[in-house]
Coordinates of all heavy atoms in Angstrom, one line a residue:
M22 N 11.9 -22.5 -8.4 CA 11.2 -21.3 -7.8 C 11.0 -20.4 -9.1 O 11.9 -20.1 -9.8 CB 11.9 -20.7 -6.7 CG 11.3 -19.3 -6.3 SD 12.2 -18.4 -5.1 CE 11.4 -19.0 -3.7
S23 N 9.7 -20.0 -9.4 CA 9.5 -19.2 -10.4 C 9.2 -17.7 -10.0 O 8.7 -17.5 -8.9 CB 8.4 -19.4 -11.3 OG 7.3 -19.6 -10.4
Y24 N 9.7 -16.7 -10.8 CA 9.5 -15.3 -10.5 C 8.1 -14.9 -11.0 O 7.8 -15.0 -12.1 CB 10.6 -14.5 -11.0 CG 10.6 -13.0 -10.9 CD1 10.6 -12.5 -9.5 CD2 10.2 -12.2 -12.0 CE1 10.5 -11.0 -9.3 CE2 10.2 -10.8 -11.6 CZ 10.2 -10.3 -10.4 OH 10.1 -8.9 -10.1
T25 N 7.2 -14.3 -10.1 CA 6.0 -13.9 -10.5 C 5.9 -12.4 -10.9 O 4.9 -11.9 -11.5 CB 5.0 -14.1 -9.4 OG1 5.2 -13.3 -8.3 CG2 4.9 -15.5 -9.0
G26 N 7.0 -11.6 -10.5 CA 6.9 -10.2 -10.7 C 6.4 -9.4 -9.6 O 6.5 -8.2 -9.6
E27 N 5.9 -10.1 -8.6 CA 5.4 -9.3 -7.4 C 6.5 -8.9 -6.5 O 7.4 -9.7 -6.4 CB 4.4 -10.3 -6.5 CG 3.1 -10.7 -7.4 CD 2.2 -11.5 -6.6 OE1 2.7 -12.8 -6.6 OE2 1.2 -11.0 -6.3
C28 N 6.3 -7.8 -5.9 CA 7.3 -7.3 -5.0 C 6.8 -6.3 -4.0 O 5.9 -5.6 -4.2 CB 8.6 -6.8 -5.6 SG 8.2 -5.3 -6.5
A29 N 7.4 -6.2 -2.8 CA 7.1 -5.2 -1.7 C 8.0 -4.0 -2.0 O 9.2 -4.2 -2.4 CB 7.3 -5.8 -0.3
E30 N 7.5 -2.9 -1.8 CA 8.1 -1.5 -1.8 C 7.7 -0.8 -0.6 O 7.0 -1.2 0.3 CB 7.9 -0.8 -3.1 CG 8.4 -1.5 -4.3 CD 8.3 -0.6 -5.5 OE1 8.0 0.5 -5.5 OE2 8.4 -1.3 -6.6
G31 N 8.3 0.4 -0.4 CA 8.1 1.4 0.8 C 7.3 0.8 1.8 O 6.2 0.1 1.6
S32 N 7.7 1.0 3.1 CA 6.9 0.6 4.2 C 6.9 1.5 5.3 O 7.9 2.3 5.4 CB 7.3 -0.9 4.6 OG 8.8 -0.7 5.0
V33 N 6.1 1.3 6.3 CA 6.1 2.2 7.5 C 5.5 1.3 8.6 O 4.4 0.6 8.4 CB 5.3 3.5 7.3 CG1 3.8 3.3 7.1 CG2 5.4 4.4 8.4
I34 N 6.2 1.4 9.9 CA 5.7 0.6 11.0 C 4.6 1.5 11.8 O 5.0 2.7 12.0 CB 6.9 0.2 11.8 CG1 7.8 -0.7 11.0 CG2 6.4 -0.5 13.2 CD1 9.1 -1.0 11.8
S35 N 3.6 0.8 12.3 CA 2.7 1.6 13.2 C 3.3 2.1 14.4 O 4.3 1.6 14.9 CB 1.4 0.6 13.5 OG 1.9 -0.5 14.2
G36 N 2.6 3.0 15.0 CA 3.2 3.7 16.2 C 3.3 2.7 17.3 O 4.2 2.9 18.2
D37 N 2.4 1.7 17.5 CA 2.6 0.7 18.5 C 3.6 -0.5 18.3 O 3.8 -1.2 19.0 CB 1.2 0.1 18.9 CG 0.6 -0.7 17.8 OD1 1.1 -0.8 16.8 OD2 -0.6 -1.1 18.0
G38 N 4.2 -0.4 17.1 CA 5.2 -1.3 16.7 C 4.6 -2.7 16.3 O 5.3 -3.7 16.2
K39 N 3.4 -2.8 16.3 CA 2.6 -4.2 16.1 C 2.4 -4.4 14.6 O 2.2 -5.6 14.2 CB 1.6 -4.2 16.9 CG 1.8 -4.4 18.4 CD 0.5 -4.4 19.1 CE 0.9 -4.4 20.6 NZ -0.3 -4.5 21.5
Q40 N 2.3 -3.4 13.7 CA 1.8 -3.6 12.3 C 2.9 -2.9 11.2 O 3.5 -2.0 11.7 CB 0.5 -3.2 12.1 CG -0.6 -4.0 12.9 CD -1.9 -3.4 12.5 OE1 -2.5 -4.0 11.5 NE2 -2.4 -2.5 13.2
I41 N 2.8 -3.3 10.1 CA 3.7 -2.6 9.1 C 2.6 -2.5 7.9 O 2.0 -3.4 7.6 CB 4.8 -3.3 8.7 CG1 5.7 -2.6 7.7 CG2 4.7 -4.8 8.2 CD1 7.1 -3.1 7.8
A42 N 2.8 -1.4 7.3 CA 2.0 -1.0 6.0 C 3.0 -1.0 5.0 O 4.1 -0.5 5.1 CB 1.2 0.2 6.1
Y43 N 2.7 -1.5 3.6 CA 3.7 -1.5 2.7 C 2.9 -1.6 1.3 O 1.8 -2.1 1.1 CB 4.6 -2.8 2.8 CG 3.8 -4.2 2.8 CD1 3.8 -4.9 1.7 CD2 3.5 -4.7 4.0 CE1 3.2 -6.1 1.6 CE2 2.7 -5.9 3.9 CZ 2.6 -6.6 2.8 OH 2.0 -7.9 2.9
A44 N 3.7 -1.0 0.4 CA 3.1 -1.1 -1.1 C 3.5 -2.4 -1.6 O 4.6 -3.0 -1.4 CB 3.8 0.1 -1.8
W45 N 2.6 -2.9 -2.5 CA 2.8 -4.3 -3.0 C 2.5 -4.1 -4.5 O 1.4 -3.7 -4.9 CB 1.8 -5.3 -2.4 CG 2.0 -6.7 -2.9 CD1 1.2 -7.2 -3.9 CD2 3.0 -7.6 -2.7 NE1 1.6 -8.6 -4.1 CE2 2.8 -8.8 -3.4 CE3 4.1 -7.6 -1.8 CZ2 3.6 -9.9 -3.3 CZ3 4.9 -8.8 -1.6 CH2 4.8 -9.8 -2.4
Y46 N 3.4 -4.6 -5.4 CA 3.2 -4.5 -6.8 C 2.7 -6.0 -7.1 O 3.5 -6.9 -6.9 CB 4.5 -4.2 -7.6 CG 4.4 -4.0 -9.0 CD1 3.6 -2.9 -9.5 CD2 4.7 -4.9 -9.9 CE1 3.5 -2.7 -10.9 CE2 4.6 -4.9 -11.2 CZ 4.0 -3.7 -11.8 OH 3.9 -3.6 -13.2
N47 N 1.5 -6.1 -7.5 CA 1.0 -7.4 -7.7 C 1.2 -8.0 -9.1 O 1.7 -7.3 -10.1 CB -0.5 -7.4 -7.4 CG -1.5 -6.5 -8.2 OD1 -1.1 -6.4 -9.4 ND2 -2.3 -5.8 -7.7
K48 N 0.8 -9.2 -9.4 CA 1.1 -9.9 -10.7 C 0.1 -9.4 -11.7 O 0.3 -9.6 -12.9 CB 0.8 -11.3 -10.5 CG -0.4 -11.9 -10.0 CD -0.3 -13.5 -9.9 CE -1.2 -13.9 -8.7 NZ -0.8 -15.3 -8.3
E49 N -0.9 -8.5 -11.4 CA -1.7 -7.9 -12.2 C -1.1 -6.6 -12.7 O -1.7 -5.9 -13.5 CB -3.1 -7.6 -11.8 CG -3.9 -8.9 -11.4 CD -5.1 -8.7 -10.6 OE1 -6.0 -7.9 -11.3 OE2 -5.2 -9.0 -9.4
K50 N 0.0 -6.2 -12.3 CA 0.9 -5.1 -12.6 C 0.3 -3.8 -12.3 O 0.4 -2.8 -13.0 CB 1.2 -5.1 -14.3 CG 1.9 -6.4 -14.6 CD 2.3 -6.2 -16.1 CE 2.9 -7.6 -16.6 NZ 4.0 -8.0 -16.1
F51 N -0.2 -3.6 -11.0 CA -0.5 -2.4 -10.4 C -0.3 -2.5 -8.9 O -0.1 -3.6 -8.3 CB -1.9 -2.0 -10.7 CG -3.2 -2.7 -10.1 CD1 -3.6 -2.5 -8.8 CD2 -3.5 -3.9 -10.7 CE1 -4.6 -3.2 -8.5 CE2 -4.6 -4.6 -10.3 CZ -5.2 -4.3 -9.1
Y52 N -0.2 -1.4 -8.3 CA 0.2 -1.3 -6.8 C -1.1 -1.4 -5.9 O -2.1 -0.9 -6.3 CB 0.9 -0.1 -6.5 CG 2.3 -0.1 -6.9 CD1 2.7 0.4 -8.1 CD2 3.3 -0.5 -6.1 CE1 3.9 0.4 -8.6 CE2 4.7 -0.5 -6.6 CZ 4.9 -0.1 -7.9 OH 6.2 0.0 -8.2
E53 N -0.9 -1.9 -4.7 CA -1.9 -1.9 -3.7 C -1.3 -1.6 -2.4 O 0.1 -1.9 -2.3 CB -2.8 -3.2 -3.8 CG -1.8 -4.4 -3.8 CD -2.7 -5.8 -4.0 OE1 -3.5 -5.8 -4.9 OE2 -2.4 -6.7 -3.3
L54 N -2.0 -1.3 -1.3 CA -1.5 -1.1 0.0 C -1.9 -2.3 0.9 O -3.0 -2.7 0.9 CB -2.0 0.2 0.6 CG -1.3 0.5 1.9 CD1 0.2 0.8 1.7 CD2 -2.1 1.7 2.5
R55 N -1.0 -2.8 1.5 CA -1.2 -4.1 2.4 C -0.7 -3.7 3.8 O 0.2 -2.9 4.1 CB -0.4 -5.4 1.9 CG -1.1 -5.8 0.6 CD -0.3 -7.1 0.1 NE -0.9 -7.6 -1.1 CZ -0.6 -8.8 -1.6 NH1 0.3 -9.5 -1.1 NH2 -1.2 -9.2 -2.7
V56 N -1.3 -4.5 4.8 CA -0.9 -4.2 6.1 C -0.8 -5.7 6.6 O -1.4 -6.7 6.4 CB -2.0 -3.7 7.0 CG1 -1.8 -3.8 8.5 CG2 -2.1 -2.2 6.5
C57 N 0.3 -6.0 7.6 CA 0.6 -7.3 8.3 C 1.2 -6.9 9.6 O 1.5 -5.9 9.9 CB 1.4 -8.1 7.4 SG 3.1 -7.7 7.3
G58 N 1.1 -8.0 10.4 CA 1.8 -8.0 11.7 C 3.2 -7.8 11.5 O 3.9 -8.1 10.5
I59 N 3.9 -7.2 12.5 CA 5.4 -6.9 12.3 C 6.1 -8.3 12.1 O 7.3 -8.3 11.5 CB 5.8 -6.2 13.6 CG1 7.2 -5.5 13.4 CG2 6.0 -7.0 14.9 CD1 7.1 -4.3 12.4
D60 N 5.6 -9.3 12.5 CA 6.3 -10.6 12.3 C 5.7 -11.3 11.0 O 6.2 -12.4 10.5 CB 5.9 -11.7 13.3 CG 4.5 -11.9 13.5 OD1 3.6 -11.4 12.8 OD2 4.1 -12.7 14.4
G61 N 5.1 -10.5 10.2 CA 4.7 -11.0 8.8 C 3.4 -11.7 8.8 O 2.8 -12.2 7.8
S62 N 2.8 -11.8 10.0 CA 1.4 -12.6 10.1 C 0.3 -11.8 9.6 O 0.3 -10.6 9.7 CB 1.2 -13.0 11.6 OG 1.1 -11.8 12.5
N63 N -0.7 -12.5 9.2 CA -2.1 -11.8 8.9 C -1.9 -10.8 7.8 O -2.5 -9.7 7.9 CB -2.6 -11.3 10.2 CG -4.2 -11.0 9.9 OD1 -4.8 -11.6 9.0 ND2 -4.7 -10.0 10.6
P64 N -1.2 -11.1 6.7 CA -1.2 -10.0 5.6 C -2.6 -9.8 5.0 O -3.4 -10.8 4.8 CB -0.2 -10.6 4.6 CG -0.3 -12.1 4.8 CD -0.6 -12.3 6.3
R65 N -2.9 -8.6 4.8 CA -4.2 -8.2 4.1 C -4.0 -7.1 3.3 O -3.3 -6.1 3.6 CB -5.3 -8.1 5.1 CG -5.1 -7.0 6.1 CD -5.9 -7.1 7.4 NE -5.7 -6.0 8.4 CZ -4.6 -5.9 9.1 NH1 -3.6 -6.7 9.1 NH2 -4.5 -4.8 10.0
T66 N -4.9 -6.9 2.2 CA -4.9 -5.7 1.4 C -5.8 -4.7 1.9 O -7.1 -5.1 2.1 CB -5.3 -6.1 -0.1 OG1 -4.4 -7.1 -0.6 CG2 -5.4 -4.9 -1.0
V67 N -5.4 -3.6 2.1 CA -6.4 -2.5 2.7 C -6.8 -1.5 1.6 O -7.7 -0.7 1.7 CB -5.8 -1.7 3.9 CG1 -5.6 -2.8 5.0 CG2 -4.5 -1.0 3.6
Y68 N -5.9 -1.3 0.5 CA -6.4 -0.5 -0.7 C -6.1 -1.3 -1.9 O -4.8 -1.7 -2.1 CB -5.6 0.7 -0.5 CG -5.9 1.7 -1.7 CD1 -7.0 2.6 -1.8 CD2 -5.0 1.9 -2.7 CE1 -7.2 3.4 -2.6 CE2 -5.2 2.7 -3.8 CZ -6.3 3.4 -3.9 OH -6.6 4.3 -4.9
R69 N -6.9 -1.3 -2.8 CA -6.7 -1.9 -4.2 C -7.7 -1.2 -5.2 O -8.8 -1.3 -5.0 CB -7.0 -3.3 -4.0 CG -6.9 -4.2 -5.4 CD -7.3 -5.7 -5.2 NE -7.4 -6.4 -6.3 CZ -6.5 -6.9 -7.0 NH1 -5.2 -7.1 -6.5 NH2 -6.8 -7.5 -8.2
D70 N -7.1 -0.7 -6.2 CA -7.9 -0.1 -7.3 C -7.1 0.0 -8.5 O -6.1 0.8 -8.6 CB -8.2 1.5 -6.8 CG -9.2 2.0 -7.7 OD1 -9.4 1.5 -8.9 OD2 -9.9 3.0 -7.4
K71 N -7.4 -0.9 -9.4 CA -6.7 -1.1 -10.6 C -6.5 0.2 -11.5 O -5.6 0.6 -12.1 CB -7.3 -2.1 -11.5 CG -6.6 -2.5 -12.7 CD -7.2 -3.7 -13.4 CE -6.3 -4.3 -14.5 NZ -6.9 -5.4 -15.2
E72 N -7.6 1.1 -11.4 CA -7.6 2.3 -12.1 C -6.7 3.4 -11.6 O -6.2 4.2 -12.3 CB -9.1 2.9 -12.1 CG -10.1 2.0 -12.9 CD -9.6 1.6 -14.2 OE1 -9.3 2.5 -15.0 OE2 -9.7 0.5 -14.6
V73 N -6.4 3.3 -10.2 CA -5.5 4.3 -9.8 C -4.3 3.7 -9.1 O -3.6 4.4 -8.4 CB -6.2 5.3 -8.7 CG1 -7.3 6.0 -9.5 CG2 -6.8 4.4 -7.6
G74 N -3.9 2.5 -9.5 CA -2.9 1.8 -8.8 C -1.5 1.9 -9.5 O -0.7 1.1 -9.5
H75 N -1.2 3.0 -10.1 CA 0.1 3.4 -10.7 C 1.1 3.3 -9.9 O 2.4 2.9 -10.2 CB 0.0 4.7 -11.5 CG -0.9 4.7 -12.6 ND1 -0.9 4.1 -13.8 CD2 -2.2 5.4 -12.6 CE1 -2.0 4.3 -14.4 NE2 -2.9 5.3 -13.8
W76 N 1.1 3.8 -8.6 CA 2.1 3.8 -7.6 C 1.5 4.2 -6.2 O 0.5 5.0 -6.3 CB 3.2 4.7 -8.1 CG 4.4 4.7 -7.1 CD1 5.5 3.8 -7.0 CD2 4.6 5.7 -6.2 NE1 6.2 4.1 -6.2 CE2 5.9 5.3 -5.5 CE3 4.1 6.9 -5.7 CZ2 6.5 6.1 -4.5 CZ3 4.7 7.6 -4.7 CH2 5.8 7.1 -4.1
I77 N 1.9 3.7 -5.3 CA 1.5 4.0 -3.9 C 2.6 3.9 -2.9 O 3.4 3.1 -3.1 CB 0.3 3.4 -3.4 CG1 -0.4 3.9 -2.2 CG2 0.5 1.7 -3.3 CD1 -1.7 3.3 -1.8
S78 N 2.7 4.8 -1.9 CA 3.7 4.7 -1.0 C 3.2 5.1 0.5 O 2.8 6.3 0.5 CB 5.0 5.6 -1.3 OG 6.0 5.4 -0.3
P79 N 3.2 4.3 1.5 CA 2.8 4.6 2.8 C 3.8 5.5 3.4 O 5.0 5.2 3.3 CB 2.6 3.4 3.5 CG 3.6 2.4 2.8 CD 3.6 2.9 1.4
Y80 N 3.3 6.5 4.3 CA 4.3 7.4 4.9 C 4.2 7.5 6.3 O 5.1 7.5 7.1 CB 4.2 8.9 4.5 CG 4.8 9.1 3.1 CD1 4.4 9.0 1.8 CD2 6.3 9.2 3.0 CE1 5.0 9.0 0.7 CE2 7.0 9.4 1.9 CZ 6.3 9.3 0.7 OH 7.0 9.4 -0.4
Q81 N 3.0 7.3 7.0 CA 2.9 7.5 8.4 C 1.4 6.9 8.8 O 0.5 7.0 8.1 CB 2.9 8.9 8.9 CG 2.8 9.3 10.2 CD 4.1 8.7 10.9 OE1 5.1 9.0 10.5 NE2 3.9 8.2 12.1
W82 N 1.4 6.2 9.9 CA 0.2 5.9 10.6 C -0.3 6.9 11.5 O 0.4 7.9 12.0 CB 0.4 4.8 11.5 CG 0.7 3.4 10.8 CD1 1.8 3.2 10.1 CD2 -0.1 2.3 10.7 NE1 1.9 1.8 9.8 CE2 0.6 1.3 10.1 CE3 -1.4 1.9 11.3 CZ2 0.1 0.0 9.7 CZ3 -2.0 0.7 11.0 CH2 -1.1 -0.2 10.2
T83 N -1.7 7.1 11.6 CA -2.2 8.1 12.4 C -1.9 7.6 13.9 O -1.6 6.3 14.2 CB -3.7 8.3 12.4 OG1 -4.4 6.9 12.5 CG2 -4.1 8.9 11.0
A84 N -1.9 8.5 15.0 CA -1.7 8.2 16.3 C -2.5 7.1 16.8 O -2.0 6.3 17.7 CB -1.8 9.4 17.1
D85 N -3.8 7.0 16.4 CA -4.7 5.8 16.9 C -4.5 4.6 16.1 O -5.1 3.6 16.5 CB -6.2 6.4 16.9 CG -6.6 6.7 15.5 OD1 -6.0 6.5 14.6 OD2 -7.9 7.4 15.5
G86 N -3.7 4.6 15.0 CA -3.5 3.3 14.4 C -4.6 3.0 13.4 O -4.5 1.8 12.9
K87 N -5.5 3.9 13.2 CA -6.7 3.5 12.4 C -6.6 3.9 10.8 O -7.4 3.2 10.0 CB -7.9 4.2 12.9 CG -8.4 3.6 14.3 CD -9.5 4.2 14.8 CE -10.0 3.5 16.1 NZ -11.3 4.0 16.7
Q88 N -5.6 4.8 10.6 CA -5.4 5.2 9.1 C -3.9 5.3 8.8 O -3.1 5.4 9.7 CB -6.1 6.5 9.0 CG -7.6 6.5 9.2 CD -8.2 7.9 8.8 OE1 -8.4 8.1 7.6 NE2 -8.4 8.7 9.8
I89 N -3.7 5.2 7.6 CA -2.4 5.3 7.0 C -2.3 6.4 6.1 O -3.1 6.4 5.1 CB -1.9 4.0 6.3 CG1 -2.0 2.8 7.3 CG2 -0.6 4.0 5.7 CD1 -2.3 1.5 6.7
L90 N -1.4 7.4 6.2 CA -1.1 8.4 5.3 C -0.3 7.9 4.1 O 0.7 7.4 4.3 CB -0.4 9.7 5.9 CG -0.1 10.8 4.9 CD1 -1.3 11.4 4.4 CD2 0.6 11.8 5.6
A91 N -0.8 8.0 2.9 CA -0.1 7.5 1.8 C 0.0 8.5 0.5 O -1.0 9.3 0.6 CB -0.5 6.2 1.4
V92 N 0.9 8.4 -0.4 CA 0.9 9.1 -1.5 C 0.5 8.1 -2.7 O 1.1 7.1 -2.7 CB 2.2 9.8 -1.9 CG1 2.3 10.3 -3.2 CG2 2.5 10.7 -0.8
V93 N -0.5 8.6 -3.5 CA -1.0 7.8 -4.6 C -0.8 8.4 -5.9 O -1.1 9.6 -6.0 CB -2.6 7.6 -4.3 CG1 -3.1 6.6 -5.6 CG2 -2.8 6.7 -3.1
M94 N -0.2 7.7 -6.9 CA -0.1 8.5 -8.2 C -1.2 7.8 -9.0 O -1.3 6.7 -9.3 CB 1.2 7.9 -8.9 CG 1.5 8.4 -10.2 SD 3.1 8.0 -10.6 CE 2.7 7.4 -12.4
R95 N -2.2 8.8 -9.3 CA -3.3 8.3 -10.1 C -3.2 8.4 -11.7 O -3.8 7.6 -12.4 CB -4.6 9.2 -9.7 CG -4.9 9.1 -8.2 CD -6.2 9.9 -8.0 NE -6.6 9.6 -6.5 CZ -7.3 8.7 -6.1 NH1 -7.7 7.7 -6.8 NH2 -7.6 8.6 -4.7
S96 N -2.3 9.2 -12.0 CA -1.9 9.3 -13.4 C -0.5 10.0 -13.5 O 0.0 10.3 -12.4 CB -2.8 10.1 -14.2 OG -2.8 11.5 -14.0
Q97 N 0.0 10.1 -14.6 CA 1.4 10.8 -14.7 C 1.5 12.2 -14.2 O 2.4 12.8 -13.7 CB 2.0 10.7 -16.1 CG 2.3 9.4 -16.6 CD 3.5 8.8 -16.0 OE1 4.1 9.4 -15.2 NE2 3.7 7.5 -16.2
K98 N 0.3 12.8 -14.2 CA 0.2 14.2 -13.7 C -0.6 14.5 -12.4 O -0.7 15.6 -12.0 CB -0.5 15.1 -14.8 CG 0.4 15.1 -16.1 CD -0.3 15.8 -17.2 CE 0.5 15.8 -18.4 NZ -0.1 16.8 -19.4
E99 N -1.2 13.4 -11.9 CA -2.0 13.6 -10.7 C -1.6 12.7 -9.5 O -1.5 11.4 -9.5 CB -3.5 13.1 -11.0 CG -4.4 13.5 -9.8 CD -5.9 13.2 -10.1 OE1 -6.2 12.7 -11.3 OE2 -6.7 13.2 -9.3
W100 N -1.0 13.4 -8.4 CA -0.7 12.7 -7.2 C -1.5 13.1 -6.2 O -1.8 14.4 -6.1 CB 0.9 13.1 -7.0 CG 1.9 12.6 -8.0 CD1 2.0 13.0 -9.2 CD2 2.8 11.7 -7.9 NE1 2.9 12.3 -9.9 CE2 3.5 11.5 -9.1 CE3 3.3 10.9 -6.7 CZ2 4.6 10.6 -9.2 CZ3 4.2 9.9 -7.0 CH2 4.9 9.8 -8.2
Q101 N -1.8 12.3 -5.2 CA -2.6 12.8 -4.0 C -2.0 12.2 -2.8 O -1.6 11.1 -2.8 CB -4.0 12.3 -4.2 CG -4.7 13.0 -5.3 CD -6.2 12.5 -5.3 OE1 -6.5 11.4 -5.2 NE2 -7.2 13.5 -5.5
C102 N -2.1 13.0 -1.7 CA -1.9 12.5 -0.3 C -3.4 12.0 0.2 O -4.3 12.8 0.1 CB -1.3 13.5 0.6 SG 0.3 14.1 0.3
V103 N -3.4 10.8 0.6 CA -4.7 10.3 1.3 C -4.5 9.5 2.4 O -3.5 9.0 2.7 CB -5.3 9.3 0.0 CG1 -5.6 10.0 -1.3 CG2 -4.3 8.1 -0.2
F104 N -5.6 9.5 3.2 CA -5.6 8.7 4.4 C -6.5 7.4 4.0 O -7.5 7.4 3.4 CB -6.4 9.3 5.5 CG -5.6 10.3 6.2 CD1 -5.7 11.7 6.1 CD2 -4.5 9.9 7.1 CE1 -4.8 12.6 6.7 CE2 -3.7 10.8 7.8 CZ -3.9 12.1 7.5
I105 N -5.8 6.2 4.3 CA -6.4 4.9 4.0 C -6.7 4.2 5.4 O -5.9 4.1 6.1 CB -5.5 4.1 3.1 CG1 -5.3 4.8 1.7 CG2 -6.1 2.6 2.9 CD1 -4.3 4.2 0.8
P106 N -8.0 3.7 5.5 CA -8.3 3.0 6.7 C -7.5 1.8 6.8 O -7.3 1.0 5.8 CB -9.8 2.7 6.5 CG -10.3 3.6 5.5 CD -9.2 3.9 4.7
A107 N -6.8 1.6 8.0 CA -5.9 0.4 8.1 C -6.8 -0.9 8.2 O -6.2 -2.0 7.9 CB -5.1 0.5 9.5
A108 N -8.0 -0.8 8.4 CA -8.9 -2.0 8.4 C -9.3 -2.4 7.0 O -9.9 -3.4 6.8 CB -10.1 -1.7 9.4
G109 N -9.0 -1.5 6.0 CA -9.4 -1.8 4.7 C -10.7 -1.1 4.3 O -11.4 -0.5 5.1

């Protein structure tokens, strides 16, 4: 087994308990936001931007499960709270 450098970080479970959103550090060396079923099924990337992927952390799903509140580090001096559509 070889190590690719990829890993999951911070996660949050949806209000209905069926999905999980998590930060993913990819082999291109930037972060993206992914969503999958609580059992790990159907993983998909919902936010990916190499230019602003310095760091991302999901914090909360909206009550309707359509968006994820996350903190994005765009540069060493610029952090933003953003809503990211769970559908991508």
